[in-house]
């Protein structure tokens, strides 16, 4: 075995032993795979982890995090030996699983198995889209690969099937996966529960599959990577037959090495067996020198910078656009003015349309000023209304700005995370709100990473009607609002829809869920101050002439009901204001003074939303009222369903009077 690989092994063993927590088996088993990739093939610059044309590396089996931390440390990234010693400790740069934004060189947060693989598909897809848009002749300023390490667990997860199938269909030839085929998981051998032929499985997806009989043979691994890079039309999986915990004196090849420290006695025996005569965390100078990639990495970036300078000379407008989007990650200078002009036009038209149609109009408005917008739908484009006039589908042979994801909601959202992380594109993707359940963990990962994909969910309530309770979301809006660092919008008309879209596009560190109706909704007239306050997440949409005796709170399709109920209450001598809260997350972030101005103290409150009622208790209090739905829906026309579940003016009046 290679001494360079052994350096990885012992850093992993020692850090995990010091933390008394971690997974040594995979880092030890993948050490040679990592050595070959990182020293011979991977294009990166440790001095500048954001080098625009770097290869992307994803460790999908994120429990093997010490492998990545060892590689970053050894190759020269800003990760010291003290950081390695601080593995899994509070506030360290070396958390238990790789986390984007914490450690220089970590491209994505991995942990939930299979999602890193889907993120890698997103990275490769972004490269394909940007290469088609920006490359000119020999001046290929976008020309990099995405490499992903993954294990048995990643391939057992269903998301790997979804993502791999999509990658093959789109011909992502610069995506290369290296599979740590060790046949061991936490429960022991995978035989009897994971017996499929992986090369044949991936070949059926349209991938090139290469088998490496000895995943610890550096020459065999290198030959496989060269073969993978030679095929630019198909993604490649390299199946490396390895031994988990390779090198461990007595635990090698056993599930006992998967997720527990080896123990002092086993590590001492392993040191002796491998001839590693160095103290814990001690790496000899010659091995450090062999691993050091700083000089080579700087040369690679300098070569790219020289090419980009030539590109700037020949294609100055394209170069400026590339700089804005990829290097500086900023919106166009005219973005705000463009949105304001469009909003003025919307307020002039006063259209009564479904908010899914209002969303489609907003997408077209954004696309005029944001060439980086990349849309898509999980096989529901005609229902989600997510295409626009100049949308061009990405295919196996061409780039574009629209992805037909197929019926793959989970993979779609995880791929969008990869697109957002890569940079240069601003992704959104859509499905029915009910099927956000399939994608939930990818939404959570976007929020955790503080990135900004836009998740579009239409058919937002019982208002979708006859498809019945399997398709009628009840608890989904409330639970999306409860994801930390997620902005969940439910607009009530064309104006709120555009403002929600613009806010989602502007956010840099917050993903957004945009929730839209199937049925038509009336436009509501607002003044300039109200339009500005929409951006605060909640505002007084319709005040009353005198001090309110009652506040009606609503979102989305129920805002119209609240306005109608306000008129009926006024006719009976009851003053009520109507508050629209399209984004509770933003409203909660406002000052106490502003929130009190919208929801005054000591005034009864009644919330109206076609979803679970418990969520609204934080706004109405235990003595307030909620008209919601706390059971599954029914199959019937939408109007009949709203009447059946009490979304009528008569019921609002009854509940309101009971609070006075």
């Amino acid at each position: 075995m290679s001494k360079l690989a052994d350096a990885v092994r012992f850093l992993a063993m020692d850090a995990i032993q010091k933390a008394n927590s971690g997974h040594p088996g995979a880092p030890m088993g993948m050490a040679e795979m990592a050595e070959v990739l990182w020293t011979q093939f991977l294009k990166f610059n440790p001095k500048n982890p954001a080098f625009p044309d770097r290869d992307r590396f994803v460790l999908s089996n994120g429990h093997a995090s010490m492998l990545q931390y060892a590689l970053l440390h050894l190759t020269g990234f800003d990760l010291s030996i003290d950081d390695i010693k601080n593995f899994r400790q509070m506030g360290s740069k070396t958390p238990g699983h790789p986390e984007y934004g914490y450690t220089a060189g970590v491209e994505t947060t991995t942990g939930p198995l299979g999602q890193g693989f889907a993120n890698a598909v997103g990275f490769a897809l972004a490269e394909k889209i940007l290469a088609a848009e920006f490359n000119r002749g020999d001046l290929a300023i976008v020309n990099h690969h995405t490499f992903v390490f993954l294990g048995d667990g990643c391939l057992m997860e269903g998301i790997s099937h979804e993502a791999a199938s999509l990658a093959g269909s789109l011909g992502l030839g610069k995506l290369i996966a290296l599979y740590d085929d060790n046949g061991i998981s936490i429960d022991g051998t995978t035989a009897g529960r994971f017996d499929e032929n992986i090369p044949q499985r991936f070949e059926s997806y349209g991938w090139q599959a290469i088998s490496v009989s000895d995943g610890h043979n550096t020459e065999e691994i290198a030959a496989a990577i060269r073969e993978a890079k030679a095929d630019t039309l198909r993604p490649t999986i390299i199946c490396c037959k390895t031994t988990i915990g390779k090198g461990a004196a007595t635990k090698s090849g056993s599930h006992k090495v998967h997720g527990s420290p080896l123990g002092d006695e086993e590590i001492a025996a392993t040191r002796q067996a491998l001839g590693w005569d160095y103290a814990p965390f001690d790496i000899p100078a010659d091995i450090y020198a062999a691993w050091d990639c700083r000089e080579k990495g700087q040369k690679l970036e300098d070569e790219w910078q020289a090419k980009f300078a030539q590109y700037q000379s020949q294609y100055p407008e394209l170069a400026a656009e590339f700089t804005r989007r990829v290097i500086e990650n900023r919106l166009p200078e005219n973005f705000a003015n463009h949105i304001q002009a469009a909003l003025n036009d919307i307020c002039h038209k006063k259209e009564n349309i479904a908010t899914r149609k209002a969303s489609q109009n907003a997408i077209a408005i954004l696309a005029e000023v944001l060439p980086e917008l990349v849309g898509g739908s999980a096989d529901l484009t005609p229902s989600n209304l997510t295409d626009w006039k100049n949308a061009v589908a990405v295919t196996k042979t061409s780039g574009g700005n629209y992805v037909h994801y197929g019926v793959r909601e989970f993979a779609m959202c995880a791929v969008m995370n990869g697109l957002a992380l890569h940079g240069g594109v601003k992704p959104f993707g859509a499905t029915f709100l009910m099927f956000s359940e399939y994608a939930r963990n990818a939404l959570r990962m976007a929020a955790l990473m503080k990135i900004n994909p836009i998740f579009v969910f239409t058919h937002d309530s019982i208002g979708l009607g006859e498809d019945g309770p399997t398709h009628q979301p009840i608890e989904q809006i409330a639970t999306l609002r409860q994801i930390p660092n997620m902005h969940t919008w439910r607009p009530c008309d064309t104006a709120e829809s555009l403002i929600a879209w613009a806010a989602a596009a502007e956010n840099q560190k917050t993903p957004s869920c945009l929730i839209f109706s199937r049925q038509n909704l009336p436009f509501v007239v607002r003044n300039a101050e109200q339009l500005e306050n929409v951006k605060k997440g909640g505002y007084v949409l319709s005040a009353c002439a005198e001090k309110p005796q009652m506040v009606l709170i609503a979102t989305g399709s129920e805002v119209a009901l609240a306005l109608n109920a306000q008129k009926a209450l006024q006719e009976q001598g009851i003053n009520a204001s109507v508050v629209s809260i399209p984004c509770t997350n933003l409203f909660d972030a406002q000052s106490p003074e502003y929130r009190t101005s919208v929801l005054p103290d000591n005034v009864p409150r009644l919330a109206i939303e076609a979803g679970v009622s418990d969520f609204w208790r934080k706004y109405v209090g235990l003595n307030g009222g909620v008209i919601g739905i706390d059971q599954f829906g029914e199959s019937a026309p939408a109007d009949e369903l709203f009447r059946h579940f009490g979304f009528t003016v008569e019921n609002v009046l009854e509940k309101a009077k009971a609070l006075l």
Side-chain angles (χ1 to χ4, degrees), residues 331-346:
L331 292 172
E333 298 294 336
N334 63 333
F335 179 81
N337 289 338
H338 180 80
I339 296 299
Q340 186 60 53
L343 184 60
N344 293 341
D345 185 57
I346 282 173

Side-chain angles (χ1 to χ4, degrees), residues 174-289:
K174 290 186 177 177
L175 173 62
I176 299 174
L178 285 91
Y179 164 39
D180 178 31
D181 181 11
N182 60 40
I184 296 291
S185 65
I186 293 176
D187 283 357
T189 176
T190 58
R193 50 194 164 90
F194 183 54
D195 295 330
E196 65 228 56
N197 187 308
I198 295 300
Q200 288 182 7
R201 169 180 154 185
F202 274 78
E203 285 170 350
S204 75
Y205 294 145
W207 287 54
Q208 174 183 214
I210 302 170
S211 294
V212 173
S213 59
D214 181 1
H216 306 289
N217 184 314
T218 56
E219 293 182 2
E220 193 175 350
I221 296 167
I225 296 175
R226 283 192 291 270
E227 184 179 351
K229 293 187 71 173
D231 189 337
T232 59
L233 301 179
R234 297 179 294 172
T236 297
I237 185 168
I238 302 173
C239 302
C240 299
K241 195 65 182 176
T242 61
T243 300
I244 191 170
K246 178 70 172 178
T250 65
K251 296 182 179 181
S252 177
S254 165
H255 72 280
K256 295 179 181 179
V257 78
H258 172 88
S260 301
L262 294 183
D264 291 331
E265 186 176 333
E266 178 77 4
I267 293 176
T270 302
R271 274 186 158 78
Q272 184 174 2
L274 297 182
W276 189 262
D277 300 323
Y278 311 104
F281 303 104
D282 185 11
I283 304 296
D286 61 329
I287 293 180
Y288 266 129

Side-chain angles (χ1 to χ4, degrees), residues 404-618:
H404 291 283
Y405 285 99
V407 188
R408 303 182 180 99
E409 297 88 355
F410 191 5
M412 174 182 73
C413 293
V415 168
M416 287 165 56
N417 288 347
L419 287 166
L421 287 160
H422 182 283
V425 296
K426 189 172 288 292
F428 74 85
T431 185
F432 289 166
L433 176 58
M434 189 65 247
F435 305 137
S436 66
E437 295 291 349
Y438 283 146
R440 180 59 63 100
N441 201 257
L443 272 60
R444 183 179 187 272
M445 294 301 288
L448 180 66
M449 288 189 277
K450 302 180 179 67
I451 57 176
N452 61 343
I454 301 170
F455 305 106
V456 177
F457 300 119
T458 69
H459 297 62
D460 67 349
S461 69
I462 56 171
L464 70 88
E466 293 86 346
D467 276 339
T470 61
H471 284 54
Q472 291 170 3
I474 300 298
E475 72 276 22
Q476 282 65 39
I477 298 175
T479 56
L480 288 173
R481 289 171 176 145
Q482 291 173 331
I483 299 175
N485 197 47
M486 177 71 76
H487 286 178
T488 298
W489 289 83
R490 190 178 183 232
C492 74
D493 67 356
T494 53
E496 284 191 359
S497 295
L498 177 59
I499 291 168
W501 262 106
E506 287 176 309
N507 284 339
Q508 293 295 334
K509 295 184 178 181
T510 305
S512 299
C513 292
L514 306 183
I515 298 174
F516 300 111
S517 72
R518 176 179 183 263
Q519 70 274 27
N520 288 346
L521 303 179
F523 178 82
V524 183
V525 176
R526 301 169 183 81
N527 59 36
E529 182 182 6
Q530 288 172 315
L531 287 170
E532 189 64 26
N533 284 341
V534 174
K535 301 174 186 177
K536 297 178 181 179
Y539 62 105
V540 178
L541 176 60
S542 180
C544 48
E546 301 177 19
K547 182 179 179 181
Q549 300 166 268
M550 165 74 57
V551 177
L552 302 179
I553 306 170
T555 75
S557 54
E558 288 71 68
V559 167
L561 173 59
L563 290 169
N564 289 334
Q566 180 193 36
K567 294 177 183 177
L569 286 166
Q570 182 65 43
E571 290 171 358
Q572 298 186 22
I574 300 172
N575 294 319
S577 64
V578 174
V579 169
S580 174
I581 309 185
C583 183
T584 61
N585 313 99
L586 277 172
F587 181 69
D588 291 348
Q590 303 306 312
S591 69
E593 293 77 14
Y594 177 77
R595 284 182 277 128
T596 300
S597 73
V598 175
L599 299 175
D601 295 332
N602 303 317
V603 177
R605 304 170 187 174
L606 175 63
I608 311 167
E609 185 174 68
V612 290
S613 62
D614 277 358
F615 174 83
W616 288 102
R617 291 293 168 192
K618 65 186 287 188

Side-chain angles (χ1 to χ4, degrees), residues 154-169:
C154 293
L155 293 181
M156 290 187 218
E157 289 285 1
I159 191 173
S160 71
H161 295 258
E162 295 181 28
S165 175
L166 180 65
S169 296

Side-chain angles (χ1 to χ4, degrees), residues 359-378:
S359 168
Q360 185 178 43
N361 294 344
I363 291 168
I365 290 166
L366 263 66
E368 292 173 354
V369 72
L370 291 178
E372 60 262 48
L373 199 67
V374 173
S377 172

